[in-house]
């Protein structure tokens, strides 16, 4: 039976090609994902471990310039640590944001990974964390050193003047050296600027104080013993661990971070393989049907049902092995490609070998072979049931009425249960509702797939008159062929339906969320510009002062983070400029007046006021950030604004009772609105600072909506593979259908149907099947998009369901085009059939 199975695979290799392609793509995605994440994880773990090679004990304080409650490591404490027995060196570190300007004045790097730190030379005059390839470390206040990649991108050489932005005004420094480093920020596409230690402390913390300390041990000293001796010397809030423990912690964090990426990619690979199941099952069903006589003769000469079934499953296993081998090889190429692509997007994977783990190999082959064998199980079971008497006829037994009734009953029950679960999930908010919807969506998809053969007849019957009217006999025959074998049509359409369900659901959800975010920005903002730090960190007070003096500024207010404690409960607040804030944001009042801010009173949004029982005129006992107590009067209650905290406090009040100001953004309105001249005036006022971002209203809309669009595009890209497999399914079905109907096509040619109309018949059949699957998918996708959106609506005030009819129309048109393209080869094959030879074919 093995030889027979192998012979059949070789005899039908052309017909099994599409099945091999489908399995191959799924295996490639699975193996590529596993190899890529293993390689990335190994490289990052090695980098992390390498950075702690010489660290016996690492001390972390989380000290910040704006946090007076958390102290760092003083020079005196560092000296005590350096004097401990067994300590070779103890290096003090301090760091923060530092952005370097390129020759055009633009920021090098992506903002969030642009860092600055201190150069801490040891007894030998060198800092062991950095290897200099040119020049030396900064030994004076006006000197800096740059990492090699940043110096290259900025075209800087030792001795050049470099403009560097920190949280304060931009300054120029002389480049003293260029170094290489294993710093994670640099490998993430950012930059690293090294300052003299005193300069870095002044910039990021305070003179004579460090945030962290790395202790290296003398030869033979125990890291655990050093840890026990270091801990008593540390201030409150400091954390100390051995270098090995810290490396292990980071390895776990890397593993957890990559698990999310791996899970997402494997989920899409699973979707592609799920779609591929229909193609595989369809292929083997048709192969079994075409070999009815052969299988029946095998039964007649003594083969048992088990042997026939085993023969078909062996064929599937051989196909699965071949596809897995090719797919695994492509997966390795995919992993290498993803690694290279990260570099194109600014990321940099540390050097390291390609990791091909046994898990990746086993998973790839297990997936490829098992999916193929499982998908072929039902066709194999049907093959085993072929009676020997069928050898006398070329017609395989049709499905019984009982089997169709059972199938349709099961499909109806699953669809109803799934639909009910989706509706129930839509009535709940948050992740609970989405979990219920996911379970319901799975049941509904399975139910609809089971019912698709039943649905195909009435749905396609609706378009039959149109096809006949527009395309004559070719259209009539195409419609009849599409419903002649509803099981085959349903299996082919199911693959497209699954892909279009996901694509449509993502589109409905993405467009709805995008427009909600867009309305949130346009409805809530009156300002012309928003100024932020490229790093996402706080702006310095000097930036606000500079912008207040800029030409053309008519209104300006910071969005300064602060908090108030009222009766033991903390409330987030925004310190704003009274009088100007009304011109910059939409703040309709429910009671009172926002002019009360100018009197030192506060304004509270309606939701917060209602939940706390506050009303205009109330005097609240308040504890400020500096722990001092006082009273503040509620001067106004206003409708909430998503761009501000729920409590508005005059900036001078916050400054009088707070620590260092934490200005998240500065909002401005300018004479004449957003113009190039006004933007240049702001750039000039900020000293042409590359570390600060100036955005107009369109930029703000793009920033908030960009993440939604990016997520949608990523989803589209990942789902493209499932759609490609669905297209292969249409091609395969048509090609094998043409082979099956050679005699019929020969008869049609003999009675006058020319080659042009034969091609048109096959093309229309493909378009009908593709559009049928697309319509089913679009309807399901809109239903799922609505349901998931309902679970998010409570968290998004501007939420309103949007059906992207334009995109849906594009999806349907593309489905039609897919049908046309998929039919090119089968239609050409049908048209080229020799009519006399075809008529003689059995």
């Amino acid at each position: 039976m093995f030889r027979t199975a192998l012979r059949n695979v070789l005899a039908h290799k052309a017909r099994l090609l599409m099945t091999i392609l489908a399995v191959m793509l799924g295996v490639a995605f699975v193996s590529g994902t596993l190899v890529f994440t293993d390689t990335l994880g190994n490289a990052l773990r090695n980098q992390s471990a390498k950075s702690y090679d010489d660290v016996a004990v690492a001390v972390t304080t989380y000290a910040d310039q704006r946090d007076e409650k958390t102290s760092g490591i003083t020079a005196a404490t560092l000296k005590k640590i350096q004097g401990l027995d067994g300590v070779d060196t103890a290096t003090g570190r301090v760091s923060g944001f530092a952005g370097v300007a390129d020759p055009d004045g633009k920021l090098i790097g992506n903002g969030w990974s642009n860092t600055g730190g201190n150069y801490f030379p040891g007894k030998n005059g060198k800092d062991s964390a950095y290897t200099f390839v040119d020049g030396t470390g900064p030994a004076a206040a006006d000197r800096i050193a740059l990492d090699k990649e940043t110096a290259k991108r900025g075209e800087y050489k030792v001795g050049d003047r470099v403009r560097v932005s920190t949280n304060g005004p931009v300054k120029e420094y002389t480049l003293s050296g260029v170094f290489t480093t294993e710093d994670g920020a640099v490998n993430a596409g950012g930059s690293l600027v090294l300052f003299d230690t005193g300069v870095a402390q002044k910039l990021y913390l305070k003179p004579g104080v460090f945030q962290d300390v790395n202790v290296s041990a003398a030869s033979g000293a125990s890291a655990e013993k050093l840890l026990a001796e270091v801990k008593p010397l540390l201030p409150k809030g400091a954390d100390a661990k051995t270098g090995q423990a810290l490396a292990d912690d980071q390895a776990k964090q890397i593993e957890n971070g990559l698990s999310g990426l791996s899970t997402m990619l494997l989920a899409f690979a699973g979707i592609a393989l799920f779609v591929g199941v229909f193609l595989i099952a369809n292929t083997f069903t048709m192969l079994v049907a075409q070999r009815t006589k052969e299988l029946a003769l095998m039964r007649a000469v003594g083969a048992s049902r088990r042997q026939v079934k085993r023969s078909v499953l062996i064929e599937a296993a051989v196909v699965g092995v071949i596809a897995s081998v090719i797919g695994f090889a492509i997966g390795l190429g995919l992993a290498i490609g993803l690694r290279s692509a990260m570099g194109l997007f600014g990321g940099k994977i540390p050097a390291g070998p390609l990791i091909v783990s046994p898990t990746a190999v086993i998973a790839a082959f297990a997936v490829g072979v098992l999916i193929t064998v499982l998908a072929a199980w039902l066709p194999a079971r049907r093959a085993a049931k072929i009676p020997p008497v069928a050898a006398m006829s070329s017609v395989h037994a049709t499905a019984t009425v009982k089997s169709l009734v059972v199938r349709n009953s099961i499909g109806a029950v699953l669809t109803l249960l799934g639909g009910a679960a989706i509706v129930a999930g839509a009535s709940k908010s948050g992740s609970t509702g989405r979990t219920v919807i996911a379970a319901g969506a799975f049941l509904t998809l399975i139910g609809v797939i089971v019912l698709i053969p039943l649905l195909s007849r009435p749905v396609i019957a609706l378009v039959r008159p149109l096809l006949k009217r527009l395309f004559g006999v070719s259209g009539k025959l195409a419609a009849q062929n599409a419903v002649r074998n509803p099981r085959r049509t349903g299996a082919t359409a199911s693959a497209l339906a699954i892909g279009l369900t996901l694509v449509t659901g993502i589109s409905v959800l993405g467009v709805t969320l995008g427009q909600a975010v867009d309305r949130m920005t346009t409805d809530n903002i009156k300002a012309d510009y928003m100024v932020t730090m490229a790093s996402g960190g706080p702006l310095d007070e000097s930036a606000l002062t500079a912008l207040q003096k800029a030409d053309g500024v008519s209104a300006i207010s910071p969005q300064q983070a602060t908090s108030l404690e009222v009766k033991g409960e903390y409330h987030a607040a925004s310190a704003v400029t009274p009088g100007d804030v009304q011109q910059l944001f939409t703040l309709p009042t429910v009671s009172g007046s926002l002019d009360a801010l100018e009197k030192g009173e506060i304004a509270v949004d309606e939701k917060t006021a209602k939940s706390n029982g506050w009303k205009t005129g109330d005097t609240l006992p308040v504890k400020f950030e500096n722990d001092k107590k006082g009273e503040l009067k509620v001067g106004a209650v206003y409708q909430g604004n998503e761009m501000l905290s729920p409590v508005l406090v005059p900036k001078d009040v916050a400054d009088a009772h707070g620590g260092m100001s934490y200005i998240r953004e500065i909002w401005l309105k300018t004479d004449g609105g957003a113009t190039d001249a006004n933007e240049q005036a702001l750039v000039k006022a900020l000293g042409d600072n590359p570390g600060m971002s100036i955005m107009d209203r369109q930029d703000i809309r793009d920033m908030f909506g960009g993440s939604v669009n990016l997520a949608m595009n990523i989803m589209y890209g990942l789902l493209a593979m499932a759609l490609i497999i669905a297209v292969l399914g249409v091609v395969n079905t048509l090609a094998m259908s043409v082979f099956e109907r050679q005699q019929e096509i020969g008869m049609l040619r003999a009675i006058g149907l020319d080659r042009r109309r034969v091609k048109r018949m096959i093309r229309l059949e493909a378009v009908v099947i593709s559009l049928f699957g697309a319509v089913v998918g679009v309807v399901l996708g809109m239903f799922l998009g609505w349901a998931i959106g309902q679970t998010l609506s409570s968290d998004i005030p501007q939420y309103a369901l949007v059906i992207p009819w334009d995109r849906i129309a594009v999806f349907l048109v593309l489905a039609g085009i897919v049908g046309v393209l998929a039919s090119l080869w089968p239609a050409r094959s049908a048209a080229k059939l020799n009519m006399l030879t075809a008529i003689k074919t059995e």
Side-chain angles (χ1 to χ4, degrees):
M1 296 307 292
F2 179 79
R3 289 197 300 271
T4 302
L6 190 59
R7 185 206 67 193
N8 284 325
V9 170
L10 295 174
H12 302 115
K13 52 183 176 292
R15 281 177 260 171
L16 290 168
L17 177 62
M18 300 300 174
T19 297
I20 290 173
L21 286 173
V23 179
M24 180 188 75
L25 287 173
V27 170
F29 210 151
V30 171
S31 58
T33 295
L34 293 175
V35 171
F36 172 68
T37 52
D38 286 346
T39 299
L40 180 58
N42 180 71
L44 292 175
R45 283 191 295 271
N46 286 344
Q47 180 196 51
S48 174
K50 188 175 180 181
S51 64
Y52 291 106
D53 276 348
D54 297 326
V55 178
V57 175
V59 179
T60 307
T61 66
Y62 311 103
D64 186 86
Q65 197 173 38
R66 290 168 175 78
D67 184 3
E68 295 180 353
K69 297 178 182 178
T70 304
S71 60
I73 305 295
T74 63
T77 302
L78 178 61
K79 192 171 182 179
K80 290 179 182 178
I81 295 174
Q82 290 172 330
L84 292 173
D85 289 337
V87 171
D88 182 23
T89 61
T91 306
R93 299 293 183 195
V94 62
S95 62
F97 168 74
V100 180
D102 65 14
D104 297 323
K106 303 298 182 183
L107 181 69
I108 296 174
N110 46 32
W112 59 269
S113 60
N114 293 104
T115 57
N118 67 302
Y119 182 71
F120 195 98
K123 298 173 185 176
N124 60 359
K126 297 180 180 180
D127 190 327
S128 59
Y130 311 106
T131 302
F132 278 80
V133 295
D134 192 13
T136 60
D142 65 338
R143 301 297 177 96
I144 61 165
L146 292 177
D147 67 272
K148 184 179 177 181
E149 189 63 29
T150 301
K152 181 181 177 181
R153 285 188 283 177
E155 301 176 9
Y156 291 120
K157 297 178 181 178
V158 172
D160 288 348
R161 297 289 285 176
V162 182
R163 299 177 70 250
V164 179
S165 167
T166 54
N167 287 345
V170 65
K171 293 181 180 179
E172 281 197 355
Y173 299 86
T174 299
L175 183 62
S176 67
V178 177
F179 59 88
T180 59
T181 178
E182 292 296 326
D183 187 275
V186 175
N187 285 319
S191 62
L192 178 59
V193 182
L194 294 182
F195 299 92
D196 173 73
T197 293
V199 173
Q201 288 175 324
K202 186 177 179 181
L203 284 172
Y204 301 125
L205 200 53
K206 50 191 172 184
V209 179
F210 297 95
Q211 291 164 323
D212 309 320
V213 173
N214 292 334
V215 180
S216 64
S219 178
S222 164
E224 295 294 341
K225 182 180 178 183
L226 280 180
L227 178 64
E229 293 177 349
V230 166
K231 278 188 174 181
L233 303 177
L234 302 180
K236 184 180 179 182
D239 183 27
K241 292 184 177 181
T242 63
Q244 184 60 53
L246 206 56
D248 292 342
D249 289 346
Q250 289 206 3
K252 288 180 182 178
Q253 291 173 10
I254 290 168
E255 186 176 344
N256 292 336
L258 290 175
S259 67
L261 173 64
S262 179
T263 301
M264 181 185 73
L265 292 175
L266 289 175
F268 283 96
I271 292 168
L273 288 167
F274 185 55
V275 171
V277 165
F278 297 97
L279 190 160
I280 299 164
N282 220 12
T283 299
F284 279 94
T285 296
M286 294 170 74
L287 284 175
V288 167
Q290 290 168 13
R291 290 161 48 202
T292 298
K293 274 193 172 183
E294 176 191 331
L295 294 171
L297 282 170
M298 289 174 63
R299 292 291 314 284
V301 297
S304 66
R305 288 188 174 186
R306 181 177 296 177
Q307 286 177 308
V308 171
K309 182 178 178 181
R310 189 187 305 152
S311 173
V312 177
L313 292 179
I314 290 172
E315 288 180 46
V318 171
V319 169
V321 170
I322 294 170
S324 296
V325 170
I326 300 172
F328 187 77
I330 294 174
L332 293 179
L334 181 64
I336 295 170
L338 285 171
R339 183 173 177 171
S340 301
M342 285 190 69
L344 296 176
F345 289 101
K348 180 183 174 184
I349 298 180
L354 192 70
I355 303 299
V356 183
S357 66
T359 302
V361 177
I362 293 169
F365 280 84
V367 164
V369 176
L370 285 177
I371 289 292
T372 311
V373 171
L374 288 174
W377 184 80
L378 277 177
R381 186 169 176 269
R382 283 196 289 268
K385 289 184 176 181
I386 296 175
V389 72
M392 305 299 296
S393 171
S394 61
V395 181
H396 185 26
T398 58
T400 63
V401 173
K402 180 181 177 182
S403 70
L404 292 174
V405 169
V406 170
R407 175 186 178 126
N408 294 334
S409 299
I410 292 173
V413 170
L414 289 174
T415 304
L416 289 173
L417 287 174
I422 291 172
V423 173
S427 64
K428 303 177 183 293
S429 61
S431 58
T432 302
R434 290 189 286 276
T435 302
V436 175
I437 290 172
F442 179 76
L443 289 176
T444 303
L445 272 175
I446 299 297
V448 169
I449 288 165
V450 174
L451 284 175
I452 265 187
L454 177 66
L455 296 173
S456 64
R457 289 184 180 275
V459 173
I460 294 176
L462 294 174
V463 298
R464 186 182 297 171
L466 180 63
L467 290 173
K468 184 178 179 181
R469 189 179 307 116
L470 293 177
F471 303 103
V473 67
S474 295
K476 180 180 179 181
L477 290 171
Q480 290 175 344
N481 290 335
V483 295
R484 177 186 296 180
N485 191 331
R487 289 176 185 262
R488 183 190 303 159
T489 298
T492 306
S494 294
L496 276 171
I498 293 168
L500 265 296
T501 295
L502 298 171
V503 169
T504 304
I506 289 168
S507 296
V508 170
L509 195 60
V511 171
T512 299
L513 291 176
Q515 292 199 15
V517 170
D518 191 56
R519 284 193 297 271
M520 183 177 74
T521 55
T522 53
D523 292 353
N524 289 335
I525 298 171
K526 294 180 183 178
D528 297 319
Y529 293 102
M530 177 180 75
V531 177
T532 61
M533 287 299 296
S535 63
L539 288 154
D540 191 77
E541 192 78 28
S542 61
L544 179 61
T545 304
L547 289 170
Q548 287 170 336
K549 299 174 183 177
D551 293 338
V553 174
S554 58
I556 180 170
S557 175
Q559 209 278 68
Q560 180 175 319
T562 186
S563 65
L564 302 173
E565 183 182 344
V566 182
K567 296 180 179 178
E569 184 177 353
Y570 283 91
H571 297 274
S574 291
V576 296
T577 303
D580 285 6
V581 68
Q582 301 96 307
Q583 301 177 52
L584 301 169
F585 300 96
T586 303
L587 298 168
T589 53
V590 177
S591 61
S593 172
L594 291 173
D595 293 338
L597 290 170
E598 298 184 46
K599 304 174 186 176
E601 299 175 3
I602 63 172
V604 183
D605 77 6
E606 187 177 16
K607 185 178 179 181
T608 301
K610 186 176 181 181
S611 63
N612 288 279
W614 300 341
K615 59 183 183 298
T616 302
D618 286 352
T619 299
L620 307 178
V622 174
K623 186 177 181 181
F624 296 97
E625 284 192 323
N626 60 358
D627 293 334
K628 292 185 178 179
K629 297 181 179 179
E631 292 183 339
L632 289 174
K633 184 178 180 181
V634 178
V637 174
Y638 65 96
Q639 294 178 14
N641 188 300
E642 296 299 314
M643 312 308 295
L644 297 168
S645 298
V647 179
L648 302 183
V649 181
K651 178 170 169 45
D652 56 352
V653 173
D655 289 344
H657 295 90
M660 297 291 291
S661 63
Y662 192 99
I663 301 175
R664 292 173 178 166
E665 307 127 13
I666 298 174
W667 298 83
L668 307 101
K669 200 166 185 64
T670 53
D671 297 331
T675 64
D676 290 341
N678 282 335
E679 185 171 341
Q680 285 304 311
L682 299 181
V683 170
K684 183 179 178 182
L686 291 171
D688 199 15
N689 193 323
M692 294 185 185
S693 173
I694 300 173
M695 290 181 279
D696 60 22
R697 294 181 70 180
Q698 185 58 50
D699 292 332
I700 296 168
R701 292 168 68 182
D702 293 342
M703 178 186 69
F704 284 104
S707 56
V708 175
N709 294 328
L710 177 62
M712 285 179 62
N713 291 334
I714 291 173
M715 296 291 187
Y716 287 153
L718 293 173
L719 287 172
M721 190 175 64
L723 293 175
I724 289 170
I725 293 175
V727 173
L728 293 177
V730 178
V731 175
N732 208 31
T733 297
L734 288 172
M736 300 187 77
S737 177
V738 166
F739 179 84
E740 230 178 34
R741 288 153 40 198
Q742 286 187 64
Q743 190 175 52
E744 174 191 319
I745 293 170
M747 289 294 296
L748 290 172
R749 293 275 284 109
I751 62 176
L753 196 69
D754 59 24
R755 289 183 174 182
R756 182 172 57 84
R757 284 188 287 182
V758 168
K759 286 183 178 180
R760 183 185 299 164
M761 176 185 73
I762 301 297
R763 281 198 296 266
L764 289 174
E765 183 180 345
V767 170
V768 167
I769 293 173
S770 298
L771 286 176
F772 169 57
V775 168
V776 172
V778 163
V779 172
L780 281 176
M782 288 193 292
F783 181 43
L784 287 176
W786 163 80
I788 296 172
Q790 289 299 111
T791 66
L792 300 169
S793 57
S794 60
D795 299 323
I796 304 174
Q798 304 290 337
Y799 182 89
L801 181 67
V802 179
I803 303 295
W805 295 111
D806 53 343
R807 297 194 187 195
I808 289 173
V810 170
F811 296 156
L812 294 175
V813 170
L814 288 176
I817 294 173
V818 162
V820 173
L821 294 176
S823 68
L824 291 178
W825 173 46
R828 186 169 177 271
S829 300
K832 288 176 67 178
L833 284 174
N834 182 290
M835 66 180 75
L836 295 179
T837 304
I839 290 171
K840 291 190 296 180
T841 301
E842 293 186 10

